[in-house]
């Protein structure tokens, strides 16, 4: 019986994912409405649930893709993978105003550059305080604090050891997860309630998945503005970290 | 038809990702530079143009709004396949680097948005005067 059911789940992966995620959303919105009286947004709770499921999936399978590594939940990998994520992000632009983007364009670009450089600096400083002194490791860990894609791309370019690369990926993951969970809680304090600030937020934080999740849990109307800058961030990071920022680090630490 | 909207969305994304890859090659990085962002800008402009010409009917718009409303569930699915175990196992260096970068950048959000805004208000004042 159970085998039959599991094999149906397995061969209808994407459909199973729709069903599972729908149930997770329903439970989360019930908790949001009944237990927190709407103070914590339903989608914030759903994202936290998702991360807990990812942790559980990770420790049971030993894989890297959380719940998606559990064979009968493999459809979640397709539903939450890069293709559909980007597709849905582009779709949020339907209803966004081009004038808003244009008006905040300059601060968005400033935010992008500042976001990459400052994240890198913080990463380098933390690595320094933990006793890393070579330019290659410092640069790679700094790049990891930019995003978990910039970290390994930079690490490969400058020739970092695999444990440092792993560390840089972990730093990027911590950032992405923290942005997902934390955004709705700090939104009020950083004035994150209008398109302009969302654009700046996307540029400063940069992690596409973090920004996507964090803004969704704060106010879905802000998603397109944050996403439009955030999608330039990883590319900019991959451009600056192994080149300009690496050379600067090397000239300082040899 | 609903598919017109979905197809418009798909074409925007494919063209955007292509341009993003091209831009990445051009500047010599192994990453897509802003493909999704370019796609979004394209979609905004196209939707604006088509609805002004009355070429985008309600049915076609439904194809767009459906995928736009699937966004949050997709993000939840995305969250549930993150490598949370690796993030937790990264130890204090990874934790502090990630948290530090996030906190400092978050604190800068109001500062950076104010810089732009002040300039904008100034421009508005000049234009009004």
């Amino acid at each position: 019986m159970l085998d039959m059911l599991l094999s149906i789940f397995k061969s209808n992966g994407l459909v199973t994912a729709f069903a599972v995620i729908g149930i997770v959303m329903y439970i989360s919105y019930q908790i949001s409405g009944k237990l927190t009286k709407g103070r914590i947004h339903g989608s914030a709770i759903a994202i936290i649930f998702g991360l807990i499921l990812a942790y559980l999936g990770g420790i049971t399978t030993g894989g890297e893709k959380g719940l998606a590594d559990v064979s009968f939940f493999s459809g979640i990998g397709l539903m939450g993978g890069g293709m559909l994520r980007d597709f849905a992000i582009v779709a949020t632009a339907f209803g966004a105003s081009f004038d808003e983007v244009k008006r905040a364009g300059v601060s968005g670009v400033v935010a992008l550059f500042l976001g990459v450089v400052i994240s890198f600096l913080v990463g380098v400083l933390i690595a320094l305080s933990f006793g890393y002194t070579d330019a290659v490791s410092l640069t790679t860990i700094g790049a990891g604090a930019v995003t978990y894609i910039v970290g390994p791309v930079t690490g490969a370019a400058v020739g970092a050891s695999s444990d440092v690369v792993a560390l840089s990926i972990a730093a990027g993951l911590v950032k992405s997860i923290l942005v997902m969970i934390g955004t709705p809680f700090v939104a009020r304090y950083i004035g994150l309630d209008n398109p302009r600030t969302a654009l700046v937020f996307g540029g400063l934080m940069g992690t596409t998945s973090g920004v996507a999740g964090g803004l969704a849990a704060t106010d879905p109307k802000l998603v397109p503005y944050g996403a439009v800058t955030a999608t330039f961030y990883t590319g900019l990071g991959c451009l600056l970290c192994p080149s300009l920022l690496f050379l600067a680090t090397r000239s300082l630490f040899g | 038809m609903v598919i017109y909207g979905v197809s418009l969305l798909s074409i925007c994304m494919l063209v955007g990702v292509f341009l993003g890859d091209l831009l990445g090659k051009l500047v010599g990085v192994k990453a897509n530079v802003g493909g999704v962002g370019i796609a979004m800008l394209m979609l905004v402009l196209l939707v604006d143009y088509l609805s002004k010409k009355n070429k985008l009917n309600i049915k076609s718009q439904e194809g767009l709004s459906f995928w736009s409303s699937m966004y949050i569930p997709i993000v939840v699915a995305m969250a549930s396949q993150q490598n949370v175990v690796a993030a937790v196992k990264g130890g204090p260096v990874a934790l502090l680097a990630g948290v530090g970068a996030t906190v400092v950048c978050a604190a800068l959000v109001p500062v950076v948005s104010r810089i732009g805004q002040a300039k904008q208000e100034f421009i508005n004042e000049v234009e009004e005067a």
Side-chain angles (χ1 to χ4, degrees):
Chain A
M1 253 312 260
L2 190 67
D3 283 348
M4 219 166 81
L5 204 61
L6 288 185
S7 90
I8 290 174
F9 287 166
K10 220 185 281 185
S11 51
N12 297 286
L14 186 59
V15 177
T16 307
F18 289 151
V20 171
I21 298 297
I23 293 166
V24 171
M25 298 286 290
Y26 178 77
I27 296 171
S28 306
Y29 276 82
Q30 290 299 311
I31 292 176
S32 164
K34 297 220 165 94
L35 289 184
T36 75
K37 298 206 169 70
R39 262 194 297 268
I40 301 176
H41 203 289
S43 42
I45 297 173
I47 288 167
I48 293 170
F49 259 131
L51 292 169
I52 294 170
L53 290 174
Y55 182 75
L56 295 177
I59 49 172
T60 43
T61 63
E64 292 175 348
K65 296 195 118 190
L67 197 61
D69 279 329
V70 180
S71 64
F72 47 88
F73 288 136
S74 61
I76 293 204
L78 184 56
M79 182 177 172
M83 179 174 70
L84 284 184
R85 183 199 66 188
D86 290 349
F87 194 58
I89 289 179
V90 176
T92 62
F94 175 61
S97 143
F98 186 66
D99 287 340
E100 293 283 2
V101 176
K102 225 167 42 184
R103 214 173 298 155
V106 182
S107 34
V109 174
V110 172
L112 272 170
F113 280 89
L114 264 183
V116 170
V117 173
I118 286 173
S119 299
F120 181 84
L121 277 180
V122 171
V124 169
L125 286 177
I126 299 288
L128 261 178
S129 68
F130 275 86
Y132 290 89
T133 50
D134 61 300
V136 168
S137 300
L138 289 174
T139 303
T140 307
I141 295 171
V146 177
T147 72
Y148 60 82
I149 297 171
V150 180
V153 167
T154 305
V158 300
S161 66
S162 70
D163 55 318
V164 171
V165 170
L167 209 59
S168 80
I169 296 174
L173 284 171
V174 168
K175 183 181 182 184
S176 154
I177 290 166
L178 189 64
V179 174
M180 266 186 231
I181 300 176
T183 305
F185 298 99
V186 298
R188 210 153 23 110
Y189 305 103
I190 58 174
L192 189 55
D193 58 4
N194 57 77
R196 160 187 291 276
T197 315
L199 222 108
V200 169
F201 177 79
L204 276 169
M205 308 316 271
T207 146
T208 312
S209 35
V211 169
L215 285 180
T218 308
D219 180 358
K221 276 199 290 294
L222 298 178
V223 168
Y225 303 104
V228 82
T229 37
T231 60
F232 284 92
Y233 185 89
T234 290
L236 187 67
C238 290
L239 180 67
L240 292 180
C241 288
S243 56
L244 210 66
L245 292 173
F246 174 59
L247 294 177
T249 313
R250 201 173 53 182
S251 68
L252 279 175
F253 301 100
Chain B
M1 280 208 285
V2 172
I3 187 66
Y4 293 162
V6 181
S7 179
L8 180 71
L9 175 59
S10 311
I11 293 167
C12 283
M13 171 159 157
L14 293 172
V15 173
V17 171
F18 174 71
L19 291 176
D21 270 347
L22 218 59
L23 197 60
K25 270 241 165 64
L26 219 66
V27 292
V29 294
K30 280 179 260 172
N32 185 290
V33 181
V36 172
I38 297 169
M40 291 172 83
L41 295 177
M42 254 168 54
L43 185 71
V44 171
L45 293 174
L46 272 174
V47 165
D48 192 51
Y49 173 80
L50 289 172
S51 30
K52 266 183 198 147
K53 291 214 146 189
N54 261 335
K55 289 268 188 242
L56 199 70
N57 61 26
I58 307 274
K59 276 282 171 210
S60 309
Q61 290 188 22
E62 275 172 14
L64 289 165
S65 56
F66 171 76
W67 280 104
S68 163
S69 60
M70 278 303 279
Y71 170 74
I72 290 175
I74 284 175
V75 164
V76 173
M78 175 196 80
S80 65
Q81 55 160 320
Q82 297 294 309
N83 198 350
V84 181
V85 177
V88 174
K89 273 196 186 141
V93 185
L95 192 71
L96 284 175
V99 172
T102 311
V103 171
V104 174
C105 288
L108 279 174
V109 169
V111 182
V112 175
S113 38
R114 212 172 297 143
I115 296 171
Q117 208 151 28
K119 209 187 274 169
Q120 189 65 42
E121 273 160 17
F122 176 73
I123 292 169
N124 287 348
E125 274 166 29
V126 171
E127 277 171 357
E128 275 162 28

